[in-house]
Amino acid sequence: MKKTLLLLLLSLFTISSSLEAQRKSKDKKKENSEAKTSKAKTPKYSDFINKDTKTDEGLFKVHFDKDKFIYEIPKSYLGKEMLLVTRLRDIPAGLGGGYVNAGSKINTQVVVWEKYKNKVLLKVKSYNAVANDSLPIFKSVEANNLEPIIYSFDIKTQNSDSTAVLVDVTKFFSSDVKAISGLSSRFRKTYKVKRLDADRSFVSSIKSYPENVEVVQNFTFDADAPPSNRNTNTITMRVNQSMILLPENPMMPRISDKRVGYFSLENVDYSSEALKADEKRYIKRWRLEPKDVEAYNRGELVEPKKQIVYYLDPATPEKLRKYIKQGVDDWAKVFETAGFKNAIIAKMPPTKEEDPEFSMEDARYSSIRYVASTTRNATGPSVADPRSGEILESDIIWYHNHLRSYRNRYLLETGAANPSARTLDTPAEDIGEMMRMVISHEVGHALGLPHNMAASYAYPVDSLRSGSFTQKYGIAATIMDYARYNYVAQPGDKDVRFVRQLGPYDHYAINWGYRVVPNANTPEDEVKTLDTWIEDKADNPIYRFGGQRFDPSAQTEGIGNDQVKASTYGVKNLKIVAKNLPSWTSDQTNNYQDLSELYGELLSVWGRYSGHVVGNIGGVFEYNKKPSQSGNVYVPVTKAKQKESMAWLQANVFKTQNWLLDKDILNKIEETGYTDKLASYQNRFLGTLLNYRTLNRMIEAEVIQDEFYAASDMVKDLRKGIFSETNATKNVDLQRRTLQKSFIEKMKNLMDNEESKNNDISSIVRGELEALKNQVNTASKRAVNTITKYHYKDCYAKINEILNPKK
């Protein structure tokens, strides 16, 4: 029995040992197999790049195969700063209410590609806060400005010599990544965007150039309220992503000064010795450096090391090319003021035979695009290095239909005094001159110059009627003002220039921004010299820079230094144009389409002239100065000029303008709505005058002005003028009845305004409404016709409700 049991135990042990040996053998084989499999699955370069792969050489190698885009990023570029620019390439009709254009820049951000373990991170680097990296505070700036990660990419493999890593960027560029999206949160809310449809969204192309990579994305969103094609519930757009390598050595910045107009960028410098972080603002400009520094310092004209070159779009109609080229080349003479010759030029791009690698998408080349679009606009955007303000490239956009706007304005604003404008077929040379000046204006933006609306205020109004003056100086001191046409010149004035041109301010601003200051090694070293250049010309209005807001001398579309006088001339001319509009349009074309279009624009022109005068009331001139200069920065418009402006408005705006309601035009172009259009302008001007900010400026003028136009007097004058019919037994016409109701409504808005309740405005409104209540009550008892009587009683009831609101 014992023997049998022993044999049984030995047998079980042998079987167990055998099974264990078999298990270990299997485990070993499995490990070897897994090791071989693992080794076999390690990605190789050839797994991604093969004979079927298309490769584009450039800043990065871009590989494309089977709908996959792969970047081969040299390790030497990891950590290098690059500029990522997001632009709208193609957009649906009506996006942004028509105020957003294809080519618009949506976002600009500095990015770096950074390796972390087995990933590459794309991070945004901010220059809003900076410090010298040699100072202890630099660590705190870094710690308190952690760079956000836009995206994390898996490293697929390396190239054969391990000098570059491969990452798949397909998902990044085909997904709805908010940091690079062309659709803002505002648009998403407005158009009720639900999601990006992945099946209808894709990367259209990725091209690599020596200094940049260009990506075109096709995105389709599901949206409940798209801007156009509403029944599709769809928004489709094309977005362009430009990634540009920033210069290894940044240009020395130039400190901005608000006395000279330049686009600028701002950062907070924690390296400052001041007792707070120092806010610094630098202008945007091209890097122009003289080839021969010694000759330049002697005052000789010297060519720059790198010329600014604009290439014309091959799609530009041949008959227009010379005007576009002239619009660019005109700036070459301006740059001579800053000591540079041949600084800027326009060219046709090389042909494929001349340069097969040339592309308008290449960030090394600036261009003027001619876009086949019904949009009436032109833009002059540029891309600048946020570290220094250096403009790196620019793509000016001209939209095909923009010339129609200029033709219409030319006819309306100069037709009374300018025979060549009295036609729909504007002479080709005139159209070309207009286009040339629009391009010059947009080039000015691309050179760093913003609008300078104060420049048109530099010239006396009557000088604009002089042929010798306007031919020499133009109609404004700069091309950067919106002084498009000379609407002041009267019939019979001889040899007057009607179209704007570059002026003395342009030479001054380019010299200030681009002239090299000798022996200056830091931006701060330049300031004393730059200040001298400004202060030497500070008393001359030709060299003044002014932005829009409350300043009546810096208004859009105005010309001359007296708005009342200029607008009087302008309206006088418009009345001549209005009488002749049918003979210059519908009589020639045998249809009313152009008459209708031009009549609508004629109302707009009258509205602009009127708005210039409105700006005087409650207006404050702004003269930017440093403490070393004499005089005040803010100077209210004189009482006499404000009262003169009020009288002008009563006669030319608030009194019914029957010349704008010409039945020989209106009964040809629309069945109704013309009185509403006129009323909308009158309502707008009332809103400007009876506005909290306007009234508050007038109230505060009491503190700084010895003789001022009191807010209470202004509202009283306005009331008396608008309700002048109440002083006589007289009917109130339709236009005036609408205007009078609008006055009461605007007064109600002021009464309800929370800001108005704690100052004199509420007192003024209440007092004037009390007076008006008695005024219309008395007038209703002697009204001539029924509608006038009903109107006064309605006004009485509305005023009573405002003064005695129901609890």
Side-chain angles (χ1 to χ4, degrees):
M1 182 67 181
K2 289 180 179 180
K3 187 176 180 180
T4 303
L5 184 59
L6 181 61
L7 289 171
L8 182 59
L9 289 172
L10 286 171
S11 176
L12 289 173
F13 176 76
T14 302
I15 292 170
S16 177
S17 296
S18 176
L19 290 171
E20 179 65 18
Q22 290 178 35
R23 186 185 66 76
K24 287 183 178 180
S25 177
K26 287 180 179 178
D27 288 347
K28 187 70 174 175
K29 288 178 180 179
K30 184 178 180 182
E31 286 177 10
N32 291 338
S33 175
E34 287 178 347
K36 289 179 181 178
T37 302
S38 176
K39 188 175 182 180
K41 286 185 177 179
T42 299
K44 297 181 294 185
Y45 190 79
S46 59
D47 292 336
F48 301 96
I49 315 302
N50 51 57
K51 60 182 179 62
D52 297 322
T53 304
K54 295 180 180 179
T55 298
D56 193 19
E57 300 270 358
L59 179 67
F60 295 168
K61 286 183 179 179
V62 176
H63 306 290
F64 173 68
D65 186 17
K66 297 178 182 178
D67 297 326
K68 293 287 186 183
F69 289 92
I70 293 175
Y71 279 4
E72 185 173 328
I73 306 175
K75 291 181 179 178
S76 60
Y77 282 140
L78 294 174
K80 295 281 188 184
E81 295 175 338
M82 302 181 184
L83 204 63
L84 184 60
V85 183
T86 303
R87 287 193 186 92
L88 296 177
R89 187 182 177 97
D90 299 287
I91 58 175
L95 187 72
Y99 291 97
V100 176
N101 300 312
S104 296
K105 186 168 59 177
I106 299 301
N107 195 12
T108 301
Q109 47 198 333
V110 178
V111 298
V112 291
W113 299 83
E114 195 172 277
K115 187 176 183 296
Y116 178 75
K117 296 183 178 179
N118 64 338
K119 294 182 179 294
V120 169
L121 309 177
L122 183 61
K123 302 172 73 174
V124 174
K125 188 169 184 177
S126 173
Y127 275 89
N128 291 333
V130 298
N132 191 313
D133 59 10
S134 65
L135 299 176
I137 199 171
F138 176 76
K139 295 179 180 179
S140 178
V141 171
E142 279 198 318
N144 288 283
N145 292 274
L146 185 63
E147 298 162 352
I149 299 169
I150 296 179
Y151 208 83
S152 174
F153 302 87
D154 291 328
I155 295 176
K156 299 299 183 183
T157 190
Q158 302 187 71
N159 62 354
S160 57
D161 60 1
S162 301
T163 59
V165 294
L166 272 64
V167 295
D168 188 338
V169 297
T170 314
K171 185 178 179 182
F172 173 59
F173 285 121
S174 58
S175 302
D176 189 13
V177 179
K178 298 297 189 295
I180 61 169
S181 175
L183 204 59
S184 67
S185 57
R186 179 172 65 88
F187 285 167
R188 290 170 189 265
K189 184 178 180 180
T190 300
Y191 303 127
K192 299 181 180 178
V193 174
K194 294 186 288 187
R195 68 183 183 92
L196 179 74
D197 186 344
D199 292 334
R200 292 181 289 167
S201 300
F202 52 90
V203 180
S204 179
S205 68
I206 302 182
K207 296 180 180 179
S208 191
Y209 302 97
E211 295 175 4
N212 60 299
V213 179
E214 300 292 324
V215 181
V216 179
Q217 304 161 289
N218 279 55
F219 282 160
T220 295
F221 296 89
D222 287 330
D224 288 339
S228 55
N229 298 302
R230 290 293 182 100
N231 60 330
T232 65
N233 282 51
T234 294
I235 295 176
T236 295
M237 62 196 311
R238 300 179 80 198
V239 179
N240 193 96
Q241 307 288 348
S242 299
M243 190 179 67
I244 306 165
L245 182 66
L246 289 174
E248 190 75 27
N249 299 308
M251 176 186 74
M252 188 176 83
R254 178 156 291 181
I255 295 173
S256 177
D257 191 312
K258 60 183 179 181
R259 296 172 294 176
V260 183
Y262 268 89
F263 293 123
S264 60
L265 47 87
E266 184 180 23
N267 63 37
V268 178
D269 188 355
Y270 288 90
S271 304
S272 171
E273 293 295 324
L275 297 179
K276 63 180 181 65
D278 193 5
E279 293 182 2
K280 290 186 176 178
R281 187 171 287 277
Y282 300 123
I283 68 171
K284 295 182 180 180
R285 57 178 180 157
W286 295 81
R287 185 186 292 207
L288 286 188
E289 300 168 333
K291 285 182 179 178
D292 186 338
V293 176
E294 290 183 2
Y296 184 88
N297 289 341
R298 289 195 301 268
E300 299 175 23
L301 288 180
V302 174
E303 289 188 342
K305 291 179 181 178
K306 185 177 180 182
Q307 189 181 41
I308 303 169
V309 180
Y310 277 94
Y311 290 96
L312 273 61
D313 191 336
T316 306
E318 288 190 19
K319 65 180 181 180
L320 299 177
R321 291 177 182 178
K322 68 176 182 179
Y323 303 115
I324 294 177
K325 178 172 170 51
Q326 287 172 338
V328 178
D329 294 348
D330 284 344
W331 283 96
K333 192 69 178 174
V334 179
F335 272 103
E336 290 183 5
T337 307
F340 293 100
K341 66 179 179 181
N342 303 323
I344 185 169
I345 193 171
K347 299 178 180 179
M348 287 301 295
T351 63
K352 285 291 183 185
E353 292 72 27
E354 292 169 334
D355 185 355
E357 298 299 316
F358 181 89
S359 171
M360 299 282 270
E361 304 295 337
D362 191 333
R364 292 176 299 168
Y365 307 118
S366 294
S367 65
I368 300 176
R369 304 296 183 93
Y370 194 95
V371 180
S373 167
T374 57
T375 299
R376 296 188 183 185
N377 200 7
T379 60
S382 61
V383 174
D385 185 342
R387 304 169 303 175
S388 65
E390 178 187 354
I391 296 174
L392 304 172
E393 65 95 25
S394 163
D395 292 299
I396 294 169
I397 301 172
W398 174 278
Y399 297 92
H400 179 71
N401 270 22
H402 198 34
L403 282 176
R404 188 176 182 91
S405 298
Y406 278 81
R407 179 206 69 176
N408 290 359
R409 293 275 299 274
Y410 191 53
L411 184 152
L412 294 169
E413 296 186 35
T414 76
N418 179 14
S420 69
R422 300 167 189 167
T423 175
L424 296 174
D425 298 318
T426 311
E429 284 299 316
D430 290 17
I431 286 289
E433 181 69 3
M434 296 175 213
M435 186 176 201
R436 174 183 181 177
M437 294 308 153
V438 177
I439 292 297
S440 285
H441 178 92
E442 301 307 336
V443 170
H445 284 321
L447 296 174
L449 304 181
H451 291 134
N452 179 8
M453 299 306 182
S456 53
Y457 197 74
Y459 296 163
V461 171
D462 283 327
S463 294
L464 300 174
R465 299 185 59 188
S466 164
S468 58
F469 182 91
T470 56
Q471 293 297 343
K472 182 177 181 179
Y473 296 106
I475 60 175
T478 175
I479 194 73
M480 302 314 298
D481 199 323
Y482 269 177
R484 302 174 205 267
Y485 295 113
N486 185 348
Y487 59 81
V488 162
Q490 297 294 292
D493 292 344
K494 303 296 184 184
D495 197 31
V496 172
R497 181 173 178 84
F498 289 101
V499 181
R500 60 182 169 171
Q501 65 183 27
L502 281 92
Y505 173 86
D506 301 310
H507 290 259
Y508 164 72
I510 290 296
N511 182 72
W512 187 90
Y514 281 89
R515 178 171 286 278
V516 177
V517 178
N519 304 316
N521 297 315
T522 69
E524 289 74 18
D525 290 344
E526 297 183 327
V527 172
K528 186 175 181 179
T529 299
L530 296 174
D531 279 352
T532 300
W533 293 348
I534 294 172
E535 290 166 14
D536 283 348
K537 298 182 182 297
D539 295 328
N540 192 332
I542 287 174
Y543 305 109
R544 175 173 168 243
F545 174 73
Q548 294 169 267
R549 284 185 301 166
F550 45 77
D551 187 336
S553 69
Q555 299 189 74
T556 296
E557 314 285 354
I559 59 173
N561 65 350
D562 184 332
Q563 295 88 349
V564 173
K565 193 171 188 178
S567 293
T568 298
Y569 280 134
V571 170
K572 187 178 179 181
N573 282 339
L574 269 186
K575 289 179 179 179
I576 296 172
V577 172
K579 285 182 180 179
N580 289 281
L581 207 53
S583 64
W584 295 348
T585 58
S586 55
D587 290 358
Q588 304 300 317
T589 62
N590 200 30
N591 69 64
Y592 294 117
Q593 182 178 345
D594 289 293
L595 177 62
S596 177
E597 180 179 319
L598 281 157
Y599 171 74
E601 292 191 28
L602 184 141
L603 280 177
S604 297
V605 173
W606 167 79
R608 279 194 290 273
Y609 298 166
S610 302
H612 297 155
V613 179
V614 171
N616 278 334
I617 299 177
V620 178
F621 295 107
E622 182 180 45
Y623 300 101
N624 290 315
K625 297 173 184 285
K626 283 191 173 181
S628 57
Q629 297 173 260
S630 61
N632 295 324
V633 174
Y634 298 105
V635 180
V637 177
T638 65
K639 178 181 179 180
K641 179 56 68 175
Q642 292 191 60
K643 295 224 17 124
E644 181 189 13
S645 299
M646 175 58 75
W648 191 94
L649 292 170
Q650 294 289 2
N652 294 279
V653 175
F654 299 133
K655 180 182 177 181
T656 300
Q657 303 299 298
N658 289 313
W659 66 276
L660 288 171
L661 297 173
D662 187 342
K663 62 183 179 182
D664 290 335
I665 294 177
L666 298 180
N667 60 22
K668 306 291 194 309
I669 62 175
E670 52 192 333
E671 84 287 357
T672 186
Y674 28 82
T675 57
D676 289 343
K677 289 180 181 177
L678 185 56
S680 70
Y681 285 100
Q682 294 174 319
N683 194 47
R684 181 201 303 171
F685 301 138
L686 266 183
T688 302
L689 296 173
L690 297 176
N691 174 274
Y692 171 81
R693 293 187 182 280
T694 301
L695 292 169
N696 200 50
R697 285 198 299 271
M698 298 183 76
I699 289 168
E700 292 187 347
E702 181 179 346
V703 177
I704 60 174
Q705 217 174 358
D706 294 331
E707 189 177 2
F708 56 93
Y709 189 27
S712 56
D713 289 340
M714 187 276 281
V715 179
K716 182 187 292 183
D717 290 344
L718 193 59
R719 169 182 59 84
K720 285 183 174 181
I722 288 176
F723 285 87
S724 61
E725 294 91 341
T726 61
N727 297 321
T729 305
K730 187 177 180 181
N731 290 332
V732 184
D733 66 39
L734 171 61
Q735 209 69 41
R736 293 280 284 183
R737 295 196 299 270
T738 303
L739 177 65
Q740 290 172 1
K741 285 187 173 70
S742 181
F743 176 89
I744 294 170
E745 181 64 25
K746 293 291 185 294
M747 296 288 272
K748 178 182 184 300
N749 293 342
L750 281 172
M751 184 72 85
D752 293 341
N753 187 311
E754 289 297 323
E755 292 178 292
S756 302
K757 292 178 180 179
N758 296 317
N759 67 12
D760 284 349
I761 294 176
S762 63
S763 306
I764 294 168
V765 171
R766 184 173 295 279
E768 286 302 309
L769 285 178
E770 290 281 8
L772 183 58
K773 180 181 174 182
N774 294 329
Q775 200 174 337
V776 296
N777 184 45
T778 302
S780 68
K781 296 172 183 177
R782 60 169 183 261
V784 177
N785 63 6
T786 303
I787 190 60
T788 298
K789 184 174 184 176
Y790 287 170
H791 166 68
Y792 282 144
K793 286 183 175 294
D794 188 35
C795 288
Y796 180 89
K798 290 178 185 296
I799 296 169
N800 197 51
E801 188 176 329
I802 297 169
L803 295 173
N804 304 289
K806 295 177 181 178
K807 299 294 184 179

